[in-house]
Amino acid sequence: MRVTIRLFAVLRDLAQIAELQLDLAERTPVSNAIETLATRYPRLQPMLSRSAAAINRAYAKPDDELHDGDELALIPPVSGGC
Amino acid sequence: MRVTIRLFAVLRDLAQIAELQLDLAERTPVSNAIETLATRYPRLQPMLSRSAAAINRAYAKPDDELHDGDELALIPPVSGGC
Amino acid sequence: MLNSSGDFIALVPNALKIDAAMVHLVDEHIGGVNIFLGLTRGEKNAAGQALLALDYEAYAEMALHQLHDVAKRARAQWSIVKLVIWHRTGRVAVGEPSVLIAVASPHRAEAFAACRFIIDTLKAEAAIWKKEVWADGTHTWVGGG
Amino acid sequence: MLNSSGDFIALVPNALKIDAAMVHLVDEHIGGVNIFLGLTRGEKNAAGQALLALDYEAYAEMALHQLHDVAKRARAQWSIVKLVIWHRTGRVAVGEPSVLIAVASPHRAEAFAACRFIIDTLKAEAAIWKKEVWADGTHTWVGGG
């Protein structure tokens, strides 16, 4: 299956890419997808451990499973407001 | 001695006067001045018992003493703000 | 109207304009601004009459002194960069503001707390009164029954 | 931009104008309005460089969904007549607002409480990030070290 990965803020700057596709086994958990991403972009490693994840625009847990066509966003510590 | 009395809001409407002078004995307490006022304007009586007093623009107690030239204001329940 | 802290405190006989207050809230140390507007809310009395407006009256010399004192007490408790306290006098129609308080602070918690303190204290203490003006021409002093 | 409750919620790429928000806060059931503005506050970093601006970035689809959800949670807790939540994207210079929240309620306590809840929740949860832009051309993501 194919999942869209979205990177924001410091993660995008570190990876120098905002969006990519990952081909993963059906029902891969979020944590495994993040490991795959960290292997491909080693510079993300330190920040990924401090980031949350969202599947299709809602916060997700590490063992939530991904499905074909999902959008997995990595959410570094948020700092909106002021 | 002579004291200026100021009436506001419902008190002014009841007395149909905003300001008057009272000639009182030196060091008359606020409570006595209010009694004198109530005698002269009986319609004020019910509201006076629910009103505060201010001498020269600062809240005063019933036994505070008045001096020549003081301004004694009667302050019905306040309702500013919104 | 500015006191020694630069606070803009006034009793105002005409419409309160929020952008006129914003002009005063300029300083690079400001991180959060909290603004409270109190408006005349539409309602009906026991006789079914609609409220048209509130007529505000102040013992101006005392009320201004009190508002400056409230500002001083707020500044003693919270970090405040800029402060506006405006209160209407005269007729304030339904939907129009009778009071505008704006507190600009380095951080938001201070701005919220000081703004709330100022409106609560103003309502409890300031020598200001309002009269309800009803659609049938009658009027009633609030708290004057 | 209006949801089914009539809330005006938006991510805004250009300057936030308070009078544009006020236009939305008209209803005769409003008795109190509480407004919070968050501004870029001037500061210096460890290298002595002055902050010029904050650059805001949002995961727009998620952040908008979150802001509507915050509005819904606020409406479940407090009586709210009108509600505005605007957040900037892009560059916000020192002294300029990055966020504007306005809550119009029948009574002031509700407006204050809901406004505070919304800014606190937004800061803790919304998928929005800021980058500090310093006078020497360097920049740092807040929380990204």
Side-chain angles (χ1 to χ4, degrees):
Chain A
M1 67 166 191
R2 178 161 285 195
V3 168
T4 299
I5 306 291
R6 294 190 65 179
L7 299 174
F8 294 94
V10 63
L11 290 175
R12 186 203 49 240
D13 282 4
L14 289 170
Q16 297 189 289
I17 191 169
E19 188 173 325
L20 61 137
Q21 315 287 324
L22 281 187
D23 290 308
L24 301 164
E26 190 67 40
R27 312 186 78 179
T28 297
V30 165
S31 55
N32 287 22
I34 293 175
E35 278 168 35
T36 303
L37 186 70
T39 306
R40 196 176 298 183
Y41 297 93
R43 300 179 61 189
L44 292 182
Q45 186 78 65
M47 277 311 297
L48 280 176
S49 65
R50 298 177 50 212
S51 298
I55 300 175
N56 302 332
R57 294 143 213 130
Y59 281 115
K61 296 187 295 296
D63 54 358
D64 284 350
E65 294 175 351
L66 293 160
H67 300 91
D68 189 46
D70 276 354
E71 176 171 295
L72 174 64
L74 284 309
I75 312 282
V78 298
S79 54
C82 52
Chain B
M1 65 168 192
R2 176 160 286 194
V3 168
T4 300
I5 306 291
R6 294 190 64 180
L7 299 174
F8 294 94
V10 64
L11 290 175
R12 186 204 49 240
D13 282 4
L14 288 169
Q16 297 188 291
I17 191 169
E19 187 174 326
L20 62 137
Q21 315 286 325
L22 282 187
D23 290 307
L24 301 164
E26 190 67 38
R27 311 186 78 179
T28 297
V30 165
S31 55
N32 287 23
I34 292 174
E35 278 167 36
T36 303
L37 186 69
T39 306
R40 195 174 301 183
Y41 297 93
R43 300 179 60 193
L44 293 183
Q45 186 80 62
M47 277 310 298
L48 280 176
S49 65
R50 298 177 50 212
S51 299
I55 301 175
N56 302 330
R57 293 143 215 129
Y59 281 115
K61 296 187 293 297
D63 54 358
D64 284 350
E65 294 175 351
L66 292 160
H67 300 92
D68 189 47
D70 277 352
E71 176 171 294
L72 174 64
L74 285 309
I75 312 282
V78 298
S79 54
C82 53
Chain C
M1 298 294 193
L2 297 179
N3 64 11
S4 59
S5 301
D7 302 332
F8 195 172
I9 296 172
L11 297 171
V12 181
N14 37 22
L16 301 181
K17 298 291 186 191
I18 196 165
D19 23 333
M22 296 307 293
V23 170
H24 185 66
L25 307 178
V26 178
D27 188 295
E28 69 162 26
H29 299 100
I30 298 172
V33 176
N34 193 255
I35 301 169
F36 177 73
L37 285 164
L39 278 66
T40 301
R41 187 179 61 246
E43 57 178 291
K44 297 205 167 183
N45 65 13
Q49 292 297 313
L51 183 71
L52 295 183
L54 296 170
D55 269 352
Y56 283 90
E57 172 182 337
Y59 179 10
E61 311 93 301
M62 181 167 170
L64 272 176
H65 176 80
Q66 291 174 302
L67 296 181
H68 280 280
D69 185 63
V70 175
K72 195 172 156 188
R73 287 149 68 191
R75 283 187 172 275
Q77 282 186 75
W78 296 283
S79 179
I80 295 175
V81 181
K82 296 282 183 183
L83 181 56
V84 173
I85 308 177
W86 290 346
H87 200 297
R88 277 293 311 275
T89 56
R91 185 153 298 196
V92 181
V94 167
E96 294 295 316
S98 54
V99 61
L100 185 161
I101 297 166
V103 181
S105 293
H107 302 99
R108 73 185 184 289
E110 299 156 333
F112 270 97
C115 189
R116 183 66 193 267
F117 168 79
I118 292 167
I119 181 61
D120 288 355
T121 308
L122 182 161
K123 282 182 74 93
E125 298 181 8
I128 301 173
W129 301 270
K130 61 171 167 266
K131 187 171 67 177
E132 296 159 326
V133 181
W134 303 100
D136 61 359
T138 60
H139 44 77
T140 40
W141 284 103
V142 174
Chain D
M1 298 292 194
L2 298 179
N3 64 12
S4 59
S5 301
D7 302 332
F8 195 171
I9 295 174
L11 297 172
V12 182
N14 37 24
L16 302 181
K17 298 291 186 192
I18 197 164
D19 21 334
M22 296 307 293
V23 170
H24 186 66
L25 306 177
V26 178
D27 188 296
E28 69 163 24
H29 299 100
I30 297 172
V33 176
N34 193 255
I35 301 169
F36 177 74
L37 285 164
L39 279 66
T40 301
R41 187 179 62 247
E43 56 176 290
K44 297 205 168 183
N45 65 11
Q49 292 295 315
L51 183 72
L52 296 183
L54 295 170
D55 270 353
Y56 282 90
E57 173 182 337
Y59 178 11
E61 310 94 302
M62 181 168 170
L64 272 176
H65 176 81
Q66 291 174 303
L67 296 182
H68 280 279
D69 184 65
V70 174
K72 197 173 155 190
R73 286 149 70 189
R75 282 186 174 276
Q77 283 187 74
W78 296 284
S79 178
I80 295 176
V81 181
K82 296 283 184 182
L83 180 57
V84 174
I85 309 177
W86 290 346
H87 200 297
R88 277 294 310 275
T89 56
R91 185 154 297 197
V92 181
V94 167
E96 294 294 317
S98 54
V99 61
L100 185 161
I101 297 165
V103 182
S105 293
H107 303 99
R108 72 186 186 287
E110 300 157 334
F112 271 97
C115 189
R116 183 65 192 267
F117 167 79
I118 292 168
I119 181 61
D120 287 356
T121 307
L122 182 161
K123 282 182 72 94
E125 297 181 8
I128 302 173
W129 301 270
K130 62 171 168 261
K131 187 170 67 177
E132 296 159 326
V133 182
W134 303 100
D136 61 0
T138 59
H139 44 75
T140 40
W141 284 104
V142 173

